[in-house]
Amino acid sequence: MVRFLDLKKQFLGIETEIRAAIDEVIDSCAFIGGKYANAFENDFSKFVGTEYCVGVGNGTDALEIAIEALGLPAGSEIIVPAFSFVASSEAVSRMGYKVVFCDIDPDNYTLCPELVKKAITANTSAIMAVHLYGHPCNMTALMDICQDHDLKLIEDCAQAHGAEFDGKMIGSIGDVSCFSFYPGKNLGAYGDAGAIVTDNEGVALQARKIANHGRIGKYDHEFEGRNSRLDGIQAAVLSVKLKYLNSWIDRRISIAEIYLSELQGIASLILPKREAWAKQAYHLFVVRTERRDELAAFLRENDIQCGIHYPSSLPQLSAYDHLNLADMPWLSNQMGAEVLSIPIGDHMSDEDAYQVCEIIKYFFKK
Ligand SMILES: *Cc1c(COP(=O)(O)O)cnc(C)c1O
């Protein structure tokens, strides 16, 4: 059996540290905010290389709060990739802005800069760069576009902890960046958690206020905000796990190397490319084939777990029927029928990866 994800195995490897960290939080009753939340925020901003980190309740809240904290003009359009998890576009609409979907680049499945340029209108205020599957977007091209058109760049780093663009840590390049620590992400908490990172002091302060009821002092509220705070237990777990993140990503990269060398040359199987600028964090290893459903069934019959990220583009979701973009001849609209995520993670040995390859090779030879 090769599992898609094995959080239990990961826990058993760090159990003593995790239990001690959780015990400490309980002993000190620093449940919401407080010293463990502050400590993780410091650790994480150091890891990413930004001045500020604001811990929040989850990755979706991070996106919503970051967008609100930018204070974009009413009626603004934000360009979002048409292929992502729904939270990327949902956050834009929920904050009252207009989602403008843009197709992805066939080489790296992230926003295509040339198409972004075409999607810009007089109302465009920001671009949301989603580092899908852990592969960094073309940040030089997107930053240039933002400079030329005076736009903000929001990074959705929910799948890309530890990925790098040209040696720069993902999350340290745009105006404001958002992370999810959902348990299954490359850095996952033991519940929901998220963070906003930025070098912009004003944005960080505003995000902190929004996430805590617009609070500026005890029972003193400058405006109506919301409640989305990082809790102490999640923060303590994350501080322990952050120390292992780089070694876990190295493991992911080693497995990816095995897949890339063993599976090359299969005519009807498209492997993920890695751009020259990318340190890929391999949150997911996604292959494409027109025989996707057959291959998925065959893997499952052979005790290899796999997943589909995602079965449709965002415009193909009922939530976006009104935009009438589901039938556009976009790669985004084709992806859902072809993508298959094969297992990758720190729980896997090289032998597991070779076993997955054997079964895939056998499938295509039959
Ligand atoms: C997981 C994810 C989110 C949302 O994070 P949550 O913590 O689950 O709210 C946002 N964007 C992308 C690309 C994601 O993969």
Side-chain angles (χ1 to χ4, degrees):
M1 167 78 116
V2 181
R3 290 181 194 281
F4 193 73
L5 183 70
D6 194 344
L7 293 175
K8 185 65 186 274
K9 180 173 174 188
Q10 186 192 65
F11 168 67
L12 293 174
I14 52 176
E15 178 173 357
T16 321
E17 266 184 287
I18 291 278
R19 288 198 190 277
I22 291 175
D23 270 351
E24 253 190 72
V25 179
I26 296 172
D27 283 340
S28 70
C29 295
F31 293 124
I32 302 289
K35 77 177 183 189
Y36 301 99
N38 295 343
F40 174 70
E41 288 176 345
N42 279 331
D43 295 345
F44 197 65
S45 57
K46 252 184 225 130
F47 175 82
V48 178
T50 53
E51 282 293 317
Y52 308 98
C53 172
V54 179
V56 295
N58 56 67
T60 309
D61 283 0
L63 288 167
E64 289 190 7
I65 293 165
I67 291 169
E68 188 177 341
L70 285 173
L72 305 172
S76 287
E77 296 173 1
I78 302 183
I79 296 172
V80 180
F83 200 71
S84 180
F85 179 61
V86 69
S88 307
S89 50
E90 183 183 50
V92 170
S93 307
R94 290 189 65 87
M95 290 301 101
Y97 298 110
K98 187 175 168 210
V99 175
V100 174
F101 284 122
C102 177
D103 204 11
I104 53 173
D105 184 300
D107 283 337
N108 55 54
Y109 306 142
T110 67
L111 269 181
C112 171
E114 287 311 309
L115 296 176
V116 167
K117 281 185 204 163
K118 292 192 186 142
I120 293 172
T121 72
N123 292 326
T124 309
S125 290
I127 297 173
M128 185 180 296
V130 181
H131 308 296
L132 195 71
Y133 306 150
H135 190 293
C137 298
N138 185 345
M139 295 303 281
T140 303
L142 294 178
M143 290 292 282
D144 284 350
I145 294 171
C146 285
Q147 248 152 32
D148 290 350
H149 297 267
D150 194 21
L151 310 176
K152 301 291 184 200
L153 188 57
I154 303 157
E155 292 182 61
D156 179 343
C157 307
Q159 302 189 359
H161 320 68
E164 291 174 18
F165 175 84
D166 254 350
K168 286 199 77 179
M169 194 63 92
I170 277 314
S172 69
I173 302 168
D175 293 283
V176 62
S177 304
C178 302
F179 286 87
S180 163
F181 305 116
Y182 179 79
K185 305 282 169 149
N186 280 11
L187 177 62
Y190 286 178
D192 272 319
I196 298 162
V197 299
T198 179
D199 282 331
N200 184 315
E201 186 181 15
V203 169
L205 286 173
Q206 188 67 6
R208 174 88 64 199
K209 282 189 237 170
I210 292 167
N212 195 14
H213 303 290
R215 180 187 145 127
I216 46 175
K218 195 161 175 118
Y219 302 121
D220 189 2
H221 303 269
E222 186 183 312
F223 55 86
E224 289 176 330
R226 58 194 285 176
N227 176 4
S228 183
R229 298 172 299 217
L230 179 62
D231 77 63
I233 289 181
Q234 300 310 334
V237 167
L238 288 167
S239 283
V240 171
K241 291 181 69 172
L242 181 58
K243 294 186 286 179
Y244 297 92
L245 180 59
N246 280 327
S247 69
W248 289 337
I249 290 172
D250 287 346
R251 186 91 282 273
R252 286 175 184 272
I253 292 171
S254 304
I255 290 160
E257 302 288 354
I258 293 173
Y259 285 159
L260 291 170
S261 70
E262 290 292 308
L263 298 175
Q264 65 177 336
I266 300 176
S268 42
L269 185 74
I270 303 174
L271 296 174
K273 294 200 185 84
R274 186 167 50 203
E275 301 279 5
W277 67 67
K279 179 181 177 186
Q280 198 349 350
Y282 288 111
H283 173 56
L284 296 167
F285 192 96
V286 175
V287 298
R288 278 168 64 205
T289 169
E290 285 174 5
R291 299 172 64 194
R292 193 271 313 278
D293 291 340
E294 259 181 279
L295 175 60
F298 190 73
L299 287 173
R300 288 185 187 122
E301 274 164 35
N302 284 281
D303 269 346
I304 311 284
Q305 295 183 338
C306 50
I308 294 175
H309 302 90
Y310 296 93
S312 69
S313 69
L314 296 176
Q316 288 166 330
L317 296 173
S318 315
Y320 299 104
D321 276 350
H322 59 282
L323 298 177
N324 276 316
L325 295 171
D327 297 322
M328 293 292 275
W330 288 357
L331 173 60
S332 297
N333 288 337
Q334 183 188 327
M335 290 283 280
E338 297 182 355
V339 288
L340 184 68
S341 308
I342 61 176
I344 194 163
D346 55 275
H347 62 292
M348 284 175 64
S349 63
D350 287 359
E351 289 66 36
D352 291 332
Y354 284 113
Q355 192 189 333
V356 173
C357 294
E358 282 318 303
I359 291 167
I360 293 176
K361 285 193 275 190
Y362 183 77
F363 172 83
F364 283 102
K365 254 185 241 146
K366 300 189 284 169

